[in-house]
Amino acid sequence: MASGSAHSGAAGDDVGLVLVQDIDASPAAVWECLTEPACFRSWWRETVEFEPRLGGHLLEPWTDADGVEHLTRAEVTAYHPPHGLVMVWADADWGFDTVVSVSLEPLADGARVTIEHQGWQAAPEADCAALLLDHRNGWSHHLSRLTDHAHEHDARRKGH
């Protein structure tokens, strides 16, 4: 069942991304992959630090294609296990914040993960389109890795 879709659009005056991924794994396994730090690092990136709790932080050092080092930071501002979480999200060199919402919905044969990344209207106008494209590609990559890892994680949980 690994299906998904992504779109970017406007809601009022807020430009954002919405990505939806159906995953052939139990909602419990997907939630563990989203919130257990060791499981999270397995599909996201080994260098990420994540505290999945209200007030927790995400710190992700990464290097872009040109070899430039960056640091993404986020703070968890809402935490509703096992349904979702919200984070204020920004790269260290941005002069603005965005908001990432992650929601998890049970399906008859798996789980649906929805990522909403809003607040891009605060980005410099000259950079907004490139940032949206980069983040849509990045979120799509991470959701694909989550899909594969959650399926394997769920099979291990079930003893397969």
Side-chain angles (χ1 to χ4, degrees), residues 4-17:
S5 64
H7 68 274
S8 48
D13 61 356
D14 188 21
V15 175
L17 300 169

Side-chain angles (χ1 to χ4, degrees), residues 4-124:
S5 64
H7 68 274
S8 48
D13 61 356
D14 188 21
V15 175
L17 300 169
V18 178
L19 294 95
V20 178
Q21 183 72 44
D22 291 349
I23 301 175
D24 185 14
S26 70
V30 175
W31 183 252
E32 287 175 5
C33 290
L34 288 168
T35 60
E36 283 192 7
C39 194
F40 185 79
R41 283 190 299 273
S42 293
W43 62 270
W44 188 275
R45 181 174 287 146
E46 282 295 321
T47 58
V48 70
E49 295 177 28
F50 183 44
E51 304 166 319
R53 61 175 175 77
L54 185 61
H57 291 90
L58 179 141
L59 294 172
E60 179 192 16
W62 58 280
T63 305
D64 68 19
D66 296 326
V68 177
E69 294 183 7
H70 298 272
L71 178 64
T72 298
R73 298 177 183 190
E75 180 178 349
V76 179
T77 57
Y79 188 69
H80 304 288
H83 306 291
L85 57 94
V86 178
M87 298 178 282
V88 174
W89 181 282
D91 277 6
D93 60 347
W94 293 356
F96 62 97
D97 290 333
T98 60
V99 176
V100 173
S101 301
V102 180
S103 61
L104 180 63
E105 175 186 348
L107 299 174
D109 56 350
R112 174 170 291 151
V113 175
T114 303
I115 306 284
E116 295 184 54
H117 197 156
Q118 306 295 324
W120 296 103
Q121 78 281 0

